[in-house]
Amino acid sequence: MSATIMDGNALAREVRAEWKVRAERLTENGVQPGLAVVIVGDNPASSIYVRNKAKACGDTGIYSEIHAFPEKASQDEVIQRIQELNRNPRIHGILVQLPLPRHFESGKIIASIAVEKDADGFHLYNVGALVTGNTVFPPCTPYGVMKMLEKCGIPVEGKHAVVVGRSNIVGKPMAFMLLQHGATVTICTSKTLELAEHTKRADILVVAVGKPRMITADMVKPGATVIDVGINRLPDGKIAGDVDFEMVKEKAGHITPVPGGVGPMTITMLLCNTIEAAERAQTAQARV
Ligand code: NDP
């Protein structure tokens, strides 16, 4: 029997509708949630992502600003703008679109974002908070995966989760979030020997590598939940995930497609983090 498809577009619509109500309530009370997106240079993919984020904000009742800098902008100039945004009461979430140009130290730029406005959850404080189980803002992609598991009624506690990939933005936070929810977690990397021996033991398999269709059906346990984070552009221009969807869907219990799986959830969770930040700002204001 073919796997149940976890429809990221439908789930994202559902989550956005729930959070839109919260954004509207805030706005009625005089605090419209606001997101500032900082972009440096003219990477075409980044420009598309930023425009999509701004549009998604508008659709969800969030005010947004795009702060675009030319490729040759200085690091100090960008940090100065972030510090202004840190002080700006209209802005509750700040996101720096990555990657930054080579002459930038991403760590320094991210560190200049106020912790309580770090909607991407990449600030070192927020990374530490996540690892110690005191999450402030969960990073959007793994947060989206957790939300999909929850919405699809897939239990995590007591399950064996295998995460393939250990990047700071996907693999590592994903592994910690699954661990926090009671899964036994294995993390695989490019250095892992006998990858299939690990992936075959996964009840929940999350793949975030960036290699088209590298996870084949023989690497998957029957009935497993397979979450494909990968986004790869093929020579013919089509988009493919890291999982051989057509074959694996005949073996898995649940599977995410690419496109239309994790991608729409990632942007959605950015909106949720921004609304959450605005709710916290309002609560803090009420206490003063
Ligand atoms: P990175 O390139 O930063 O990390 C890739 C990871 O995969 C590394 O940890 C690497 O291991 C590991 N890896 C590489 N080859 C293998 C292999 N043969 N076996 C096992 N592990 C391997 O990528 P990201 O985490 O940033 O992104 C991963 C994918 O997810 C990309 O396709 C990206 O486009 C996509 N993505 C999708 C998002 C969405 O919203 N859906 C959001 C963010 C990313 P090592 O550390 O040892 O090199």
Side-chain angles (χ1 to χ4, degrees):
M1 208 176 64
S2 206
T4 301
I5 310 295
M6 298 165 80
D7 181 345
N9 287 315
L11 291 170
R13 269 196 301 277
E14 191 182 320
V15 176
R16 286 183 201 196
E18 289 163 13
W19 282 77
K20 191 175 179 187
V21 175
R22 290 166 70 163
E24 284 166 353
R25 199 176 309 137
L26 278 162
T27 306
E28 279 161 22
N29 291 327
V31 183
Q32 185 185 15
L35 177 73
V37 182
V38 177
I39 176 168
V40 187
D42 46 17
N43 179 324
S46 294
S47 303
I48 294 172
Y49 291 143
V50 167
R51 274 203 302 276
N52 288 346
K53 285 169 186 172
K55 181 176 180 310
C57 279
D59 294 345
T60 319
I62 298 173
Y63 163 77
S64 70
E65 293 177 356
I66 297 175
H67 295 258
F69 289 85
E71 181 90 19
K72 58 178 186 343
S74 78
Q75 187 154 289
D76 285 348
E77 215 179 320
V78 175
I79 290 179
Q80 202 182 338
R81 181 70 59 85
I82 292 173
Q83 285 166 345
E84 283 163 22
L85 294 167
N86 285 342
R87 292 189 294 271
N88 182 344
R90 274 213 84 170
I91 298 300
H92 305 97
I94 302 170
L95 172 155
V96 176
Q97 185 64 42
L98 300 175
L100 287 164
R102 278 169 189 272
H103 64 285
F104 276 73
E105 293 161 87
S106 305
K108 256 195 181 159
I109 300 286
I110 304 292
S112 69
I113 301 173
V115 168
E116 66 277 11
K117 295 194 179 187
D118 175 34
D120 250 346
F122 293 160
H123 190 290
L124 282 187
Y125 179 94
N126 284 331
V127 174
L130 175 84
V131 170
T132 52
N134 300 296
T135 309
V136 181
F137 292 113
C140 301
T141 301
Y143 188 14
V145 172
M146 295 308 294
K147 190 54 86 179
M148 288 181 105
L149 293 172
E150 180 197 315
K151 290 272 177 196
C152 294
I154 295 162
V156 173
E157 191 174 302
K159 300 296 175 191
H160 185 185
V162 175
V163 179
V164 189
R166 58 168 159 178
S167 72
N168 289 333
I169 62 167
V170 189
K172 278 185 209 154
M174 185 76 253
F176 279 105
M177 287 167 86
L178 288 161
L179 185 67
Q180 190 63 27
H181 282 77
T184 301
V185 182
T186 300
I187 307 175
C188 299
T189 73
S190 66
K191 308 290 183 285
T192 300
L193 305 176
E194 309 292 349
L195 178 65
E197 294 309 310
H198 297 281
T199 57
K200 272 194 289 196
R201 282 201 284 269
D203 301 307
I204 299 170
L205 176 61
V206 183
V207 191
V209 172
K211 294 202 168 144
R213 299 174 186 145
M214 68 167 280
I215 301 293
T216 47
D218 56 311
M219 298 170 80
V220 173
K221 178 174 167 174
T225 296
V226 180
I227 309 282
D228 188 353
V229 180
I231 302 175
N232 307 288
R233 191 167 288 280
L234 303 176
D236 64 4
K238 290 196 179 126
I239 301 286
D242 290 347
V243 174
D244 181 351
F245 179 81
E246 289 306 322
M247 301 309 283
V248 173
K249 81 171 174 5
E250 300 307 322
K251 199 167 180 191
H254 286 79
I255 189 167
T256 61
V258 177
V262 177
M265 290 302 284
T266 295
I267 296 194
T268 301
M269 303 332 282
L270 170 69
L271 307 173
C272 298
N273 276 347
T274 304
I275 296 166
E276 174 92 44
E279 287 178 347
R280 289 181 194 158
Q282 193 191 40
T283 309
Q285 218 174 45
R287 275 206 215 100
V288 181

